[in-house]
């Protein structure tokens, strides 16, 4: 199966389920610099996202994968500038960042800075809603980011 061309920032509910290589390719373009590793021999996934200024909202569903932020990212982004919020819809995730370890289960959320290296190991029928945002441009999120950073 070939990846459908999705113009930057546009998506729709007709986005096809993508094979391993196509899913990794679109993740790399949408959320650099990450390394996505399949955890099963028959990996597939679906990614839909929209941009709103400096923020990006995404809906992701996939078979089990491991996501590793690349160390170069922490050197190129100002400390604490960009955060991700994950809302777990189904499946589970194990988020590791620094000394924090969080297990995400259905209907839980986590918030963490992307400027620090992290690993996310998923399991089951993994589905999340995700929001990335610049904390300096969205100061209303600061209290939540300070309180919940790296925790469920």
């Amino acid at each position: 199966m070939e990846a459908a061309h999705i113009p930057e920032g546009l998506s729709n509910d007709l986005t096809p389920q993508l094979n391993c290589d196509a899913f990794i390719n679109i993740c790399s373009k949408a959320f650099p610099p990450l390394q996505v590793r399949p955890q099963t021999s028959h990996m597939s996934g679906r990614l839909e996202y929209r941009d709103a200024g400096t923020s990006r909202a995404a809906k992701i569903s996939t078979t089990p994968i491991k996501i590793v932020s690349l160390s170069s990212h922490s050197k190129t982004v100002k400390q604490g500038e960009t955060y991700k919020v994950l809302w777990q819809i189904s499946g589970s995730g194990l988020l590791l960042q620094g000394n924090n370890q969080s297990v995400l289960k259905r209907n839980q959320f986590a918030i963490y800075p992307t400027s620090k290296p992290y690993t996310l190991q998923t399991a089951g029928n993994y589905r999340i809603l995700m929001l990335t945002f610049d904390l300096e441009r969205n100061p209303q999120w600061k209290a939540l980011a300070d309180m919940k950073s790296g925790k469920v």
Side-chain angles (χ1 to χ4, degrees), residues 83-102:
Y83 277 74
K84 281 187 183 176
V85 178
L86 300 182
W87 179 17
Q88 191 75 35
I89 304 300
S90 70
S92 63
L94 173 62
L95 176 63
L96 305 170
Q97 188 174 51
N99 294 328
N100 293 325
Q101 176 176 313
S102 298

Side-chain angles (χ1 to χ4, degrees), residues 123-143:
N125 179 22
Y126 183 71
R127 291 188 320 151
I128 61 164
L129 296 178
M130 181 182 69
L131 174 67
T132 60
F133 64 93
D134 180 324
L135 193 58
E136 291 178 9
R137 294 179 185 238
N138 297 279
Q140 66 274 22
W141 287 83
K142 183 164 179 27

Side-chain angles (χ1 to χ4, degrees), residues 17-20 23 36-46 60-66 121-127:
Q17 190 78 1
L18 302 172
N19 67 20
C20 180
F23 182 79
V36 179
R37 301 178 191 151
Q39 301 297 293
T40 63
S41 60
H42 300 292
M43 186 271 166
S44 64
R46 184 176 174 169
I60 301 169
S61 60
T62 182
T63 54
I65 57 174
K66 183 175 187 177
Q121 174 74 50
T122 72
N125 179 22
Y126 183 71
R127 291 188 320 151

